[in-house]
Amino acid sequence: RVTLTKWVRDKSGFDPDFDEEEVSAALACEENGLKNENSELIRQVEQLEADRLKMLAQLREKAIEIGDKGVRFLGMDSEQIDQVIEFASNLRQGRIELPLNDRSIELSSQVAALKSESRVDKITIERLERELYLLSQAKIESDDEVNTFKQTLEELRVKFNNLATNKFRDLSGSILTPQMRENAR
């Protein structure tokens, strides 16, 4: 067996000054690291191959399904066909849920934001009404302060009503279903 020191001496022509065991241990460590990396890459390739086979089977299934119903889907793009298929799948499972697209997801989040804003406005109005009641009970001498609170309260009511009316009116022309609009109200 040729030692590492002898091999380096033969190739380079000079006598190396290093610990052969230390170099061997470093090379063994590097070899183990490469083996581990290689086995991880093999595992990933196997997973990707399994995913590819699964998607290929789904593609074949969709092609058959769409081929059988192709005339019904005439004029629809692939996203619309997927939504029809998803809705049909939901119906088979006994759920009446419309598939969400990017616009309906955006509108749903706007509805949630409006509901949250509405709750905050209601709490603010209630707080101001309590303050107004307490001020009237305390018989504040200055009518100006009471009038200021009343005016602020009225402005908040008007703002809340306008906000709710305008936002839900904006949503009424959208792609939301009547049920989704009703839930938003």
Side-chain angles (χ1 to χ4, degrees), residues 89-139:
S89 175
N90 286 343
L91 280 178
R92 277 187 226 111
Q93 296 172 3
R95 294 181 291 158
I96 302 177
E97 293 178 13
L98 294 175
L100 297 178
N101 61 18
D102 291 342
R103 178 74 177 139
S104 58
I105 291 171
E106 178 185 330
L107 291 173
S108 294
S109 68
Q110 286 179 358
V111 166
L114 287 173
K115 285 182 178 180
S116 175
E117 234 177 89
S118 170
R119 284 186 215 112
V120 168
D121 288 344
K122 284 180 183 178
I123 291 170
T124 303
I125 289 171
E126 288 173 1
R127 180 183 54 81
L128 289 173
E129 285 176 341
R130 281 192 305 270
E131 287 179 11
L132 186 60
Y133 175 77
L134 290 174
L135 287 174
S136 69
Q137 294 300 317
K139 297 183 181 181

mmCIF file of all heavy atoms in Angstrom, residues 89-139:
data_model
loop_
_atom_site.group_PDB
_atom_site.id
_atom_site.type_symbol
_atom_site.label_atom_id
_atom_site.label_comp_id
_atom_site.label_asym_id
_atom_site.label_seq_id
_atom_site.Cartn_x
_atom_site.Cartn_y
_atom_site.Cartn_z
ATOM 1 N N SER A 89 -66.877 18.756 -7.865
ATOM 2 C CA SER A 89 -66.315 17.884 -6.838
ATOM 3 C C SER A 89 -66.896 18.217 -5.465
ATOM 4 O O SER A 89 -67.234 17.321 -4.689
ATOM 5 C CB SER A 89 -64.794 18.024 -6.821
ATOM 6 O OG SER A 89 -64.236 17.284 -5.781
ATOM 7 N N ASN A 90 -67.024 19.521 -5.179
ATOM 8 C CA ASN A 90 -67.621 19.946 -3.909
ATOM 9 C C ASN A 90 -69.072 19.476 -3.808
ATOM 10 O O ASN A 90 -69.524 19.042 -2.747
ATOM 11 C CB ASN A 90 -67.559 21.463 -3.758
ATOM 12 C CG ASN A 90 -66.170 21.964 -3.448
ATOM 13 O OD1 ASN A 90 -65.303 21.204 -3.045
ATOM 14 N ND2 ASN A 90 -65.945 23.243 -3.663
ATOM 15 N N LEU A 91 -69.813 19.575 -4.907
ATOM 16 C CA LEU A 91 -71.209 19.122 -4.906
ATOM 17 C C LEU A 91 -71.302 17.624 -4.633
ATOM 18 O O LEU A 91 -72.178 17.174 -3.897
ATOM 19 C CB LEU A 91 -71.876 19.444 -6.249
ATOM 20 C CG LEU A 91 -72.349 20.880 -6.434
ATOM 21 C CD1 LEU A 91 -72.935 21.061 -7.827
ATOM 22 C CD2 LEU A 91 -73.356 21.277 -5.387
ATOM 23 N N ARG A 92 -70.392 16.854 -5.230
ATOM 24 C CA ARG A 92 -70.393 15.406 -4.999
ATOM 25 C C ARG A 92 -70.180 15.087 -3.525
ATOM 26 O O ARG A 92 -70.666 14.077 -3.020
ATOM 27 C CB ARG A 92 -69.298 14.725 -5.833
ATOM 28 C CG ARG A 92 -69.732 14.443 -7.241
ATOM 29 C CD ARG A 92 -68.682 13.604 -7.974
ATOM 30 N NE ARG A 92 -68.495 14.216 -9.271
ATOM 31 C CZ ARG A 92 -67.409 14.856 -9.680
ATOM 32 N NH1 ARG A 92 -66.358 14.921 -8.907
ATOM 33 N NH2 ARG A 92 -67.354 15.412 -10.855
ATOM 34 N N GLN A 93 -69.428 15.931 -2.849
ATOM 35 C CA GLN A 93 -69.141 15.721 -1.426
ATOM 36 C C GLN A 93 -70.219 16.353 -0.541
ATOM 37 O O GLN A 93 -70.092 16.345 0.676
ATOM 38 C CB GLN A 93 -67.778 16.311 -1.082
ATOM 39 C CG GLN A 93 -66.634 15.615 -1.795
ATOM 40 C CD GLN A 93 -65.314 16.336 -1.584
ATOM 41 O OE1 GLN A 93 -65.237 17.319 -0.860
ATOM 42 N NE2 GLN A 93 -64.273 15.850 -2.230
ATOM 43 N N GLY A 94 -71.248 16.905 -1.154
ATOM 44 C CA GLY A 94 -72.348 17.480 -0.374
ATOM 45 C C GLY A 94 -72.109 18.886 0.104
ATOM 46 O O GLY A 94 -72.838 19.391 0.951
ATOM 47 N N ARG A 95 -71.096 19.550 -0.413
ATOM 48 C CA ARG A 95 -70.804 20.931 -0.019
ATOM 49 C C ARG A 95 -71.155 21.856 -1.180
ATOM 50 O O ARG A 95 -70.829 21.570 -2.321
ATOM 51 C CB ARG A 95 -69.318 21.113 0.305
ATOM 52 C CG ARG A 95 -68.876 20.354 1.528
ATOM 53 C CD ARG A 95 -67.416 20.591 1.795
ATOM 54 N NE ARG A 95 -66.655 19.933 0.736
ATOM 55 C CZ ARG A 95 -65.420 20.257 0.388
ATOM 56 N NH1 ARG A 95 -64.807 21.236 0.988
ATOM 57 N NH2 ARG A 95 -64.790 19.608 -0.569
ATOM 58 N N ILE A 96 -71.805 22.944 -0.853
ATOM 59 C CA ILE A 96 -72.110 23.938 -1.876
ATOM 60 C C ILE A 96 -71.174 25.120 -1.627
ATOM 61 O O ILE A 96 -71.537 26.092 -0.963
ATOM 62 C CB ILE A 96 -73.592 24.360 -1.835
ATOM 63 C CG1 ILE A 96 -74.471 23.142 -2.021
ATOM 64 C CG2 ILE A 96 -73.868 25.419 -2.893
ATOM 65 C CD1 ILE A 96 -75.950 23.417 -1.917
ATOM 66 N N GLU A 97 -69.965 24.990 -2.133
ATOM 67 C CA GLU A 97 -68.955 26.030 -1.969
ATOM 68 C C GLU A 97 -68.425 26.398 -3.345
ATOM 69 O O GLU A 97 -68.036 25.528 -4.112
ATOM 70 C CB GLU A 97 -67.781 25.526 -1.122
ATOM 71 C CG GLU A 97 -68.124 25.246 0.307
ATOM 72 C CD GLU A 97 -66.922 24.703 1.075
ATOM 73 O OE1 GLU A 97 -65.792 24.781 0.567
ATOM 74 O OE2 GLU A 97 -67.138 24.199 2.181
ATOM 75 N N LEU A 98 -68.436 27.693 -3.622
ATOM 76 C CA LEU A 98 -67.867 28.149 -4.880
ATOM 77 C C LEU A 98 -66.352 28.210 -4.744
ATOM 78 O O LEU A 98 -65.830 28.611 -3.707
ATOM 79 C CB LEU A 98 -68.410 29.531 -5.236
ATOM 80 C CG LEU A 98 -69.899 29.600 -5.544
ATOM 81 C CD1 LEU A 98 -70.317 31.045 -5.746
ATOM 82 C CD2 LEU A 98 -70.236 28.773 -6.761
ATOM 83 N N PRO A 99 -65.649 27.800 -5.801
ATOM 84 C CA PRO A 99 -64.185 27.899 -5.733
ATOM 85 C C PRO A 99 -63.765 29.369 -5.715
ATOM 86 O O PRO A 99 -64.414 30.213 -6.334
ATOM 87 C CB PRO A 99 -63.711 27.218 -7.020
ATOM 88 C CG PRO A 99 -64.904 27.013 -7.867
ATOM 89 C CD PRO A 99 -66.115 27.218 -7.035
ATOM 90 N N LEU A 100 -62.728 29.655 -4.973
ATOM 91 C CA LEU A 100 -62.258 31.023 -4.848
ATOM 92 C C LEU A 100 -61.176 31.291 -5.883
ATOM 93 O O LEU A 100 -60.316 30.450 -6.128
ATOM 94 C CB LEU A 100 -61.688 31.269 -3.447
ATOM 95 C CG LEU A 100 -62.668 31.134 -2.287
ATOM 96 C CD1 LEU A 100 -61.946 31.356 -0.970
ATOM 97 C CD2 LEU A 100 -63.806 32.104 -2.420
ATOM 98 N N ASN A 101 -61.245 32.467 -6.486
ATOM 99 C CA ASN A 101 -60.158 32.892 -7.350
ATOM 100 C C ASN A 101 -59.477 34.080 -6.668
ATOM 101 O O ASN A 101 -59.852 34.478 -5.572
ATOM 102 C CB ASN A 101 -60.659 33.242 -8.767
ATOM 103 C CG ASN A 101 -61.661 34.378 -8.771
ATOM 104 O OD1 ASN A 101 -61.763 35.124 -7.814
ATOM 105 N ND2 ASN A 101 -62.410 34.486 -9.846
ATOM 106 N N ASP A 102 -58.476 34.651 -7.331
ATOM 107 C CA ASP A 102 -57.726 35.738 -6.696
ATOM 108 C C ASP A 102 -58.626 36.926 -6.340
ATOM 109 O O ASP A 102 -58.493 37.515 -5.276
ATOM 110 C CB ASP A 102 -56.600 36.212 -7.622
ATOM 111 C CG ASP A 102 -55.512 35.177 -7.784
ATOM 112 O OD1 ASP A 102 -55.458 34.256 -6.944
ATOM 113 O OD2 ASP A 102 -54.725 35.273 -8.744
ATOM 114 N N ARG A 103 -59.561 37.264 -7.210
ATOM 115 C CA ARG A 103 -60.436 38.412 -6.968
ATOM 116 C C ARG A 103 -61.376 38.149 -5.792
ATOM 117 O O ARG A 103 -61.568 39.016 -4.939
ATOM 118 C CB ARG A 103 -61.242 38.715 -8.249
ATOM 119 C CG ARG A 103 -62.210 39.853 -8.100
ATOM 120 C CD ARG A 103 -61.528 41.195 -8.077
ATOM 121 N NE ARG A 103 -62.550 42.239 -8.007
ATOM 122 C CZ ARG A 103 -62.458 43.305 -7.261
ATOM 123 N NH1 ARG A 103 -61.386 43.511 -6.547
ATOM 124 N NH2 ARG A 103 -63.407 44.194 -7.242
ATOM 125 N N SER A 104 -61.956 36.946 -5.739
ATOM 126 C CA SER A 104 -62.882 36.658 -4.643
ATOM 127 C C SER A 104 -62.143 36.555 -3.309
ATOM 128 O O SER A 104 -62.680 36.925 -2.268
ATOM 129 C CB SER A 104 -63.694 35.394 -4.929
ATOM 130 O OG SER A 104 -62.862 34.284 -5.130
ATOM 131 N N ILE A 105 -60.919 36.087 -3.322
ATOM 132 C CA ILE A 105 -60.118 36.052 -2.093
ATOM 133 C C ILE A 105 -59.837 37.483 -1.623
ATOM 134 O O ILE A 105 -59.957 37.803 -0.444
ATOM 135 C CB ILE A 105 -58.805 35.274 -2.313
ATOM 136 C CG1 ILE A 105 -59.106 33.784 -2.524
ATOM 137 C CG2 ILE A 105 -57.840 35.466 -1.154
ATOM 138 C CD1 ILE A 105 -57.924 32.966 -2.963
ATOM 139 N N GLU A 106 -59.500 38.357 -2.589
ATOM 140 C CA GLU A 106 -59.238 39.758 -2.265
ATOM 141 C C GLU A 106 -60.497 40.422 -1.696
ATOM 142 O O GLU A 106 -60.440 41.141 -0.693
ATOM 143 C CB GLU A 106 -58.793 40.494 -3.526
ATOM 144 C CG GLU A 106 -58.523 41.969 -3.336
ATOM 145 C CD GLU A 106 -58.199 42.661 -4.657
ATOM 146 O OE1 GLU A 106 -57.642 42.022 -5.555
ATOM 147 O OE2 GLU A 106 -58.537 43.856 -4.766
ATOM 148 N N LEU A 107 -61.638 40.151 -2.323
ATOM 149 C CA LEU A 107 -62.882 40.744 -1.842
ATOM 150 C C LEU A 107 -63.263 40.208 -0.467
ATOM 151 O O LEU A 107 -63.774 40.952 0.375
ATOM 152 C CB LEU A 107 -64.011 40.498 -2.848
ATOM 153 C CG LEU A 107 -63.878 41.265 -4.164
ATOM 154 C CD1 LEU A 107 -64.938 40.817 -5.152
ATOM 155 C CD2 LEU A 107 -63.949 42.761 -3.940
ATOM 156 N N SER A 108 -63.017 38.932 -0.237
ATOM 157 C CA SER A 108 -63.305 38.360 1.084
ATOM 158 C C SER A 108 -62.467 39.039 2.153
ATOM 159 O O SER A 108 -62.960 39.325 3.249
ATOM 160 C CB SER A 108 -63.023 36.858 1.081
ATOM 161 O OG SER A 108 -63.921 36.192 0.239
ATOM 162 N N SER A 109 -61.204 39.321 1.842
ATOM 163 C CA SER A 109 -60.365 40.002 2.831
ATOM 164 C C SER A 109 -60.835 41.442 3.037
ATOM 165 O O SER A 109 -60.782 41.959 4.150
ATOM 166 C CB SER A 109 -58.895 39.962 2.417
ATOM 167 O OG SER A 109 -58.672 40.744 1.268
ATOM 168 N N GLN A 110 -61.338 42.098 1.963
ATOM 169 C CA GLN A 110 -61.877 43.447 2.119
ATOM 170 C C GLN A 110 -63.127 43.429 2.999
ATOM 171 O O GLN A 110 -63.318 44.315 3.831
ATOM 172 C CB GLN A 110 -62.219 44.052 0.751
ATOM 173 C CG GLN A 110 -61.017 44.471 -0.047
ATOM 174 C CD GLN A 110 -61.404 45.035 -1.417
ATOM 175 O OE1 GLN A 110 -62.566 45.074 -1.771
ATOM 176 N NE2 GLN A 110 -60.402 45.458 -2.158
ATOM 177 N N VAL A 111 -63.966 42.418 2.809
ATOM 178 C CA VAL A 111 -65.170 42.293 3.632
ATOM 179 C C VAL A 111 -64.778 42.106 5.096
ATOM 180 O O VAL A 111 -65.346 42.727 5.997
ATOM 181 C CB VAL A 111 -66.062 41.130 3.139
ATOM 182 C CG1 VAL A 111 -67.125 40.771 4.159
ATOM 183 C CG2 VAL A 111 -66.704 41.488 1.804
ATOM 184 N N ALA A 112 -63.782 41.257 5.332
ATOM 185 C CA ALA A 112 -63.330 41.041 6.706
ATOM 186 C C ALA A 112 -62.781 42.336 7.306
ATOM 187 O O ALA A 112 -63.053 42.654 8.472
ATOM 188 C CB ALA A 112 -62.263 39.946 6.744
ATOM 189 N N ALA A 113 -62.046 43.109 6.501
ATOM 190 C CA ALA A 113 -61.507 44.380 6.986
ATOM 191 C C ALA A 113 -62.637 45.359 7.297
ATOM 192 O O ALA A 113 -62.595 46.078 8.304
ATOM 193 C CB ALA A 113 -60.559 44.984 5.952
ATOM 194 N N LEU A 114 -63.651 45.382 6.442
ATOM 195 C CA LEU A 114 -64.795 46.266 6.687
ATOM 196 C C LEU A 114 -65.547 45.870 7.956
ATOM 197 O O LEU A 114 -65.977 46.730 8.717
ATOM 198 C CB LEU A 114 -65.746 46.249 5.490
ATOM 199 C CG LEU A 114 -65.267 46.987 4.246
ATOM 200 C CD1 LEU A 114 -66.226 46.746 3.094
ATOM 201 C CD2 LEU A 114 -65.134 48.472 4.532
ATOM 202 N N LYS A 115 -65.713 44.573 8.152
ATOM 203 C CA LYS A 115 -66.383 44.119 9.372
ATOM 204 C C LYS A 115 -65.589 44.540 10.606
ATOM 205 O O LYS A 115 -66.168 44.985 11.599
ATOM 206 C CB LYS A 115 -66.549 42.599 9.351
ATOM 207 C CG LYS A 115 -67.650 42.118 8.431
ATOM 208 C CD LYS A 115 -67.786 40.622 8.504
ATOM 209 C CE LYS A 115 -68.906 40.123 7.619
ATOM 210 N NZ LYS A 115 -69.039 38.663 7.675
ATOM 211 N N SER A 116 -64.291 44.401 10.526
ATOM 212 C CA SER A 116 -63.437 44.795 11.641
ATOM 213 C C SER A 116 -63.546 46.302 11.885
ATOM 214 O O SER A 116 -63.681 46.742 13.035
ATOM 215 C CB SER A 116 -61.994 44.411 11.337
ATOM 216 O OG SER A 116 -61.147 44.870 12.334
ATOM 217 N N GLU A 117 -63.510 47.078 10.803
ATOM 218 C CA GLU A 117 -63.651 48.527 10.927
ATOM 219 C C GLU A 117 -64.999 48.880 11.525
ATOM 220 O O GLU A 117 -65.115 49.783 12.363
ATOM 221 C CB GLU A 117 -63.542 49.162 9.527
ATOM 222 C CG GLU A 117 -62.515 50.240 9.420
ATOM 223 C CD GLU A 117 -62.416 50.765 8.004
ATOM 224 O OE1 GLU A 117 -63.157 51.712 7.683
ATOM 225 O OE2 GLU A 117 -61.607 50.213 7.251
ATOM 226 N N SER A 118 -66.032 48.163 11.112
ATOM 227 C CA SER A 118 -67.377 48.398 11.616
ATOM 228 C C SER A 118 -67.436 48.153 13.124
ATOM 229 O O SER A 118 -68.035 48.927 13.869
ATOM 230 C CB SER A 118 -68.368 47.500 10.872
ATOM 231 O OG SER A 118 -69.619 47.531 11.480
ATOM 232 N N ARG A 119 -66.819 47.056 13.571
ATOM 233 C CA ARG A 119 -66.807 46.744 15.005
ATOM 234 C C ARG A 119 -66.101 47.846 15.796
ATOM 235 O O ARG A 119 -66.571 48.268 16.856
ATOM 236 C CB ARG A 119 -66.131 45.405 15.253
ATOM 237 C CG ARG A 119 -66.991 44.222 14.897
ATOM 238 C CD ARG A 119 -66.340 42.901 15.307
ATOM 239 N NE ARG A 119 -66.679 41.919 14.313
ATOM 240 C CZ ARG A 119 -65.830 41.358 13.460
ATOM 241 N NH1 ARG A 119 -64.550 41.639 13.519
ATOM 242 N NH2 ARG A 119 -66.226 40.500 12.568
ATOM 243 N N VAL A 120 -64.971 48.312 15.255
ATOM 244 C CA VAL A 120 -64.222 49.370 15.933
ATOM 245 C C VAL A 120 -65.064 50.639 16.004
ATOM 246 O O VAL A 120 -65.127 51.302 17.051
ATOM 247 C CB VAL A 120 -62.880 49.636 15.202
ATOM 248 C CG1 VAL A 120 -62.217 50.907 15.709
ATOM 249 C CG2 VAL A 120 -61.942 48.452 15.368
ATOM 250 N N ASP A 121 -65.730 50.975 14.885
ATOM 251 C CA ASP A 121 -66.573 52.168 14.876
ATOM 252 C C ASP A 121 -67.728 52.040 15.870
ATOM 253 O O ASP A 121 -68.069 53.002 16.562
ATOM 254 C CB ASP A 121 -67.110 52.444 13.467
ATOM 255 C CG ASP A 121 -66.032 52.948 12.521
ATOM 256 O OD1 ASP A 121 -64.965 53.366 13.008
ATOM 257 O OD2 ASP A 121 -66.260 52.920 11.291
ATOM 258 N N LYS A 122 -68.343 50.873 15.946
ATOM 259 C CA LYS A 122 -69.440 50.671 16.891
ATOM 260 C C LYS A 122 -68.957 50.841 18.329
ATOM 261 O O LYS A 122 -69.630 51.463 19.159
ATOM 262 C CB LYS A 122 -70.056 49.287 16.715
ATOM 263 C CG LYS A 122 -70.941 49.173 15.498
ATOM 264 C CD LYS A 122 -71.515 47.791 15.367
ATOM 265 C CE LYS A 122 -72.353 47.659 14.115
ATOM 266 N NZ LYS A 122 -72.876 46.302 13.934
ATOM 267 N N ILE A 123 -67.790 50.294 18.619
ATOM 268 C CA ILE A 123 -67.228 50.421 19.969
ATOM 269 C C ILE A 123 -66.938 51.886 20.280
ATOM 270 O O ILE A 123 -67.221 52.371 21.382
ATOM 271 C CB ILE A 123 -65.962 49.552 20.112
ATOM 272 C CG1 ILE A 123 -66.343 48.072 20.087
ATOM 273 C CG2 ILE A 123 -65.195 49.895 21.372
ATOM 274 C CD1 ILE A 123 -65.173 47.125 19.984
ATOM 275 N N THR A 124 -66.407 52.613 19.292
ATOM 276 C CA THR A 124 -66.120 54.037 19.489
ATOM 277 C C THR A 124 -67.398 54.809 19.743
ATOM 278 O O THR A 124 -67.458 55.669 20.635
ATOM 279 C CB THR A 124 -65.386 54.610 18.254
ATOM 280 O OG1 THR A 124 -64.204 53.850 18.033
ATOM 281 C CG2 THR A 124 -65.037 56.067 18.446
ATOM 282 N N ILE A 125 -68.434 54.502 18.959
ATOM 283 C CA ILE A 125 -69.722 55.179 19.143
ATOM 284 C C ILE A 125 -70.282 54.880 20.526
ATOM 285 O O ILE A 125 -70.752 55.786 21.231
ATOM 286 C CB ILE A 125 -70.717 54.769 18.038
ATOM 287 C CG1 ILE A 125 -70.282 55.386 16.704
ATOM 288 C CG2 ILE A 125 -72.133 55.174 18.384
ATOM 289 C CD1 ILE A 125 -71.056 54.871 15.502
ATOM 290 N N GLU A 126 -70.228 53.628 20.947
ATOM 291 C CA GLU A 126 -70.735 53.266 22.278
ATOM 292 C C GLU A 126 -69.959 53.989 23.373
ATOM 293 O O GLU A 126 -70.544 54.476 24.349
ATOM 294 C CB GLU A 126 -70.646 51.750 22.476
ATOM 295 C CG GLU A 126 -71.653 50.964 21.665
ATOM 296 C CD GLU A 126 -71.425 49.455 21.750
ATOM 297 O OE1 GLU A 126 -70.493 49.019 22.458
ATOM 298 O OE2 GLU A 126 -72.181 48.731 21.099
ATOM 299 N N ARG A 127 -68.642 54.062 23.202
ATOM 300 C CA ARG A 127 -67.817 54.754 24.198
ATOM 301 C C ARG A 127 -68.196 56.224 24.277
ATOM 302 O O ARG A 127 -68.376 56.783 25.368
ATOM 303 C CB ARG A 127 -66.332 54.615 23.854
ATOM 304 C CG ARG A 127 -65.405 55.308 24.852
ATOM 305 C CD ARG A 127 -63.945 55.228 24.449
ATOM 306 N NE ARG A 127 -63.661 55.715 23.126
ATOM 307 C CZ ARG A 127 -63.502 57.010 22.805
ATOM 308 N NH1 ARG A 127 -63.604 57.936 23.735
ATOM 309 N NH2 ARG A 127 -63.229 57.376 21.572
ATOM 310 N N LEU A 128 -68.361 56.851 23.111
ATOM 311 C CA LEU A 128 -68.724 58.264 23.103
ATOM 312 C C LEU A 128 -70.122 58.489 23.684
ATOM 313 O O LEU A 128 -70.359 59.488 24.377
ATOM 314 C CB LEU A 128 -68.634 58.829 21.680
ATOM 315 C CG LEU A 128 -67.216 58.987 21.132
ATOM 316 C CD1 LEU A 128 -67.251 59.383 19.678
ATOM 317 C CD2 LEU A 128 -66.428 59.999 21.949
ATOM 318 N N GLU A 129 -71.033 57.560 23.393
ATOM 319 C CA GLU A 129 -72.372 57.677 23.972
ATOM 320 C C GLU A 129 -72.318 57.574 25.496
ATOM 321 O O GLU A 129 -73.008 58.311 26.208
ATOM 322 C CB GLU A 129 -73.303 56.611 23.398
ATOM 323 C CG GLU A 129 -73.753 56.906 21.988
ATOM 324 C CD GLU A 129 -74.587 55.796 21.385
ATOM 325 O OE1 GLU A 129 -74.535 54.647 21.900
ATOM 326 O OE2 GLU A 129 -75.287 56.062 20.394
ATOM 327 N N ARG A 130 -71.488 56.643 26.011
ATOM 328 C CA ARG A 130 -71.339 56.522 27.472
ATOM 329 C C ARG A 130 -70.751 57.801 28.066
ATOM 330 O O ARG A 130 -71.204 58.291 29.103
ATOM 331 C CB ARG A 130 -70.459 55.319 27.821
ATOM 332 C CG ARG A 130 -71.159 53.990 27.745
ATOM 333 C CD ARG A 130 -70.356 52.871 28.377
ATOM 334 N NE ARG A 130 -69.016 52.736 27.851
ATOM 335 C CZ ARG A 130 -68.691 51.974 26.808
ATOM 336 N NH1 ARG A 130 -69.610 51.294 26.182
ATOM 337 N NH2 ARG A 130 -67.441 51.899 26.402
ATOM 338 N N GLU A 131 -69.733 58.328 27.376
ATOM 339 C CA GLU A 131 -69.124 59.566 27.862
ATOM 340 C C GLU A 131 -70.146 60.709 27.851
ATOM 341 O O GLU A 131 -70.211 61.502 28.793
ATOM 342 C CB GLU A 131 -67.910 59.940 27.000
ATOM 343 C CG GLU A 131 -66.711 59.062 27.236
ATOM 344 C CD GLU A 131 -65.535 59.443 26.340
ATOM 345 O OE1 GLU A 131 -65.576 60.508 25.686
ATOM 346 O OE2 GLU A 131 -64.577 58.646 26.290
ATOM 347 N N LEU A 132 -70.929 60.745 26.789
ATOM 348 C CA LEU A 132 -71.952 61.775 26.691
ATOM 349 C C LEU A 132 -72.981 61.626 27.801
ATOM 350 O O LEU A 132 -73.388 62.601 28.440
ATOM 351 C CB LEU A 132 -72.640 61.703 25.317
ATOM 352 C CG LEU A 132 -73.642 62.785 24.982
ATOM 353 C CD1 LEU A 132 -72.975 64.153 25.006
ATOM 354 C CD2 LEU A 132 -74.259 62.521 23.634
ATOM 355 N N TYR A 133 -73.377 60.398 28.071
ATOM 356 C CA TYR A 133 -74.335 60.137 29.147
ATOM 357 C C TYR A 133 -73.745 60.564 30.489
ATOM 358 O O TYR A 133 -74.416 61.216 31.297
ATOM 359 C CB TYR A 133 -74.717 58.656 29.162
ATOM 360 C CG TYR A 133 -75.599 58.292 30.320
ATOM 361 C CD1 TYR A 133 -76.959 58.628 30.300
ATOM 362 C CD2 TYR A 133 -75.085 57.642 31.440
ATOM 363 C CE1 TYR A 133 -77.776 58.316 31.370
ATOM 364 C CE2 TYR A 133 -75.895 57.331 32.506
ATOM 365 C CZ TYR A 133 -77.236 57.664 32.471
ATOM 366 O OH TYR A 133 -78.043 57.367 33.531
ATOM 367 N N LEU A 134 -72.482 60.162 30.735
ATOM 368 C CA LEU A 134 -71.843 60.535 31.996
ATOM 369 C C LEU A 134 -71.728 62.047 32.134
ATOM 370 O O LEU A 134 -71.917 62.600 33.228
ATOM 371 C CB LEU A 134 -70.466 59.879 32.107
ATOM 372 C CG LEU A 134 -70.466 58.368 32.301
ATOM 373 C CD1 LEU A 134 -69.049 57.817 32.253
ATOM 374 C CD2 LEU A 134 -71.131 58.004 33.624
ATOM 375 N N LEU A 135 -71.408 62.701 31.020
ATOM 376 C CA LEU A 135 -71.305 64.158 31.077
ATOM 377 C C LEU A 135 -72.665 64.794 31.364
ATOM 378 O O LEU A 135 -72.757 65.766 32.121
ATOM 379 C CB LEU A 135 -70.735 64.705 29.759
ATOM 380 C CG LEU A 135 -69.245 64.463 29.549
ATOM 381 C CD1 LEU A 135 -68.840 64.918 28.160
ATOM 382 C CD2 LEU A 135 -68.434 65.205 30.602
ATOM 383 N N SER A 136 -73.710 64.236 30.765
ATOM 384 C CA SER A 136 -75.034 64.802 31.031
ATOM 385 C C SER A 136 -75.460 64.528 32.460
ATOM 386 O O SER A 136 -76.170 65.330 33.070
ATOM 387 C CB SER A 136 -76.063 64.247 30.041
ATOM 388 O OG SER A 136 -76.285 62.875 30.293
ATOM 389 N N GLN A 137 -75.056 63.398 33.016
ATOM 390 C CA GLN A 137 -75.383 63.078 34.401
ATOM 391 C C GLN A 137 -74.590 63.963 35.370
ATOM 392 O O GLN A 137 -75.057 64.276 36.454
ATOM 393 C CB GLN A 137 -75.092 61.604 34.698
ATOM 394 C CG GLN A 137 -75.980 60.646 33.943
ATOM 395 C CD GLN A 137 -77.449 60.855 34.273
ATOM 396 O OE1 GLN A 137 -77.821 61.035 35.420
ATOM 397 N NE2 GLN A 137 -78.282 60.850 33.247
ATOM 398 N N ALA A 138 -73.394 64.327 34.991
ATOM 399 C CA ALA A 138 -72.556 65.160 35.853
ATOM 400 C C ALA A 138 -72.976 66.626 35.784
ATOM 401 O O ALA A 138 -72.476 67.452 36.536
ATOM 402 C CB ALA A 138 -71.094 65.017 35.443
ATOM 403 N N LYS A 139 -73.890 66.947 34.905
ATOM 404 C CA LYS A 139 -74.413 68.306 34.752
ATOM 405 C C LYS A 139 -73.280 69.306 34.572
ATOM 406 O O LYS A 139 -73.079 70.216 35.379
ATOM 407 C CB LYS A 139 -75.298 68.685 35.924
ATOM 408 C CG LYS A 139 -76.512 67.799 36.022
ATOM 409 C CD LYS A 139 -77.413 68.227 37.121
ATOM 410 C CE LYS A 139 -78.591 67.263 37.142
ATOM 411 N NZ LYS A 139 -79.545 67.559 38.128
#
